[in-house]
Amino acid sequence: MIDHARDLASVRDATDRLLSAAAALDNASAAEASRLPGWSRGHVLAHLARNADALVNVFKGRPMYPSASDRDADIERDAPRALDVQLTDVRESADRFRAAGAVPADWSRTVELRNGVTDAAARVPFRRWAEVELHHVDLGIGYELEDLPEDFTEREIAFLAARFAGHPEVPPTRLTDSTRAWSTGRDADAPSVTVTGPAPDLLGWLAGRRDGAALTVTGGPLPALPPL
């Protein structure tokens, strides 16, 4: 069962970690390239702030973003700001998200995200937790996939494996860290490919943060995953 209150607390803790780490930057380093192609660290911080506000919209039954172009334009507008402005925006938007999550609500209701994607309201805090944790890694300031909370890593692997489940371009695949196992790809009686490796490397591959070179593959080549 999804514990949205626990996930909201995890979002708060992850945000505090990110803000504390990012406070060691300066304006010049905030303008440097992040690990995401075409994005500076300022782009990542701006996205985190605007995503928090977008998820407030989701909680309130409004469109997540007015449009894809508006989302992109807002990030480009906010990316060059001074570091202190960026961090204040991330903090204050996180507070707005936390306040929206504290409002009594029907957490079993279905909400709409981007591109027509729907989900239970109770899963929105976990989605925000993933945004904060993975984009902290994307900043490239010393926080790595290996530093993620173990329970988050396990849940995000399961979430991403489910996202690719049934995808016609992904072969039936078993994922394992030699302790736990997940399935993804096309439906089949048995997997055709097994991908084995440490949980952070499995997550990095599924999330598009690593190329999978550290993983062991049997039964065929490492599957090519569609964009998230």
Side-chain angles (χ1 to χ4, degrees):
M1 181 178 294
I2 302 169
D3 186 342
H4 68 272
R6 183 170 177 265
D7 287 344
L8 285 167
S10 296
V11 172
R12 179 197 62 216
D13 293 344
T15 303
D16 288 345
R17 285 194 298 272
L18 183 148
L19 287 168
S20 294
L25 299 171
D26 56 24
N27 288 336
S29 55
E32 292 173 352
S34 74
R35 291 175 173 175
L36 292 177
W39 271 18
S40 68
R41 293 186 177 114
H43 283 87
V44 175
L45 294 172
H47 165 63
L48 281 168
R50 301 289 67 77
N51 174 262
D53 285 336
L55 291 176
V56 171
N57 288 336
V58 169
F59 279 142
K60 295 184 176 182
R62 300 192 294 253
M64 188 169 178
Y65 297 98
S67 69
S69 60
D70 285 330
R71 170 189 176 273
D72 295 344
D74 286 348
I75 293 170
E76 290 296 333
R77 178 198 66 207
D78 294 343
R81 297 175 302 177
L83 179 66
D84 61 336
V85 177
Q86 295 274 26
L87 297 185
T88 296
D89 193 14
V90 172
R91 183 179 298 106
E92 291 181 349
S93 60
D95 289 343
R96 291 190 290 272
F97 174 79
R98 185 158 50 248
V103 174
D106 174 11
W107 288 95
S108 67
R109 72 191 189 279
T110 298
V111 296
E112 184 169 347
L113 302 159
R114 291 182 64 201
N115 303 321
V117 172
T118 59
D119 204 349
R123 200 187 296 272
V124 171
F126 179 74
R127 286 177 174 270
R128 175 61 182 177
W129 188 12
E131 290 283 332
V132 176
E133 293 285 16
L134 293 178
H135 286 315
H136 190 168
V137 174
D138 294 335
L139 287 172
I141 54 176
Y143 191 69
E144 303 296 340
L145 294 171
E146 287 75 12
D147 297 316
L148 296 171
E150 184 176 354
D151 62 329
F152 168 78
T153 297
E154 181 175 358
R155 287 179 64 189
E156 183 67 356
I157 290 172
F159 178 82
L160 293 173
R163 184 164 181 169
F164 296 124
H167 197 289
E169 297 178 8
V170 180
T173 302
R174 179 176 184 266
L175 311 170
T176 180
D177 63 357
S178 299
T179 301
R180 298 157 294 190
W182 304 265
S183 296
T184 194
R186 294 191 300 272
D187 294 333
D189 292 335
S192 60
V193 177
T194 297
V195 179
T196 304
D201 284 307
L202 289 172
L203 173 55
W205 172 62
L206 288 167
R209 266 67 179 185
R210 291 185 180 172
D211 62 9
L215 301 171
T216 300
V217 187
T218 57
L222 184 69
L225 298 176
L228 288 171

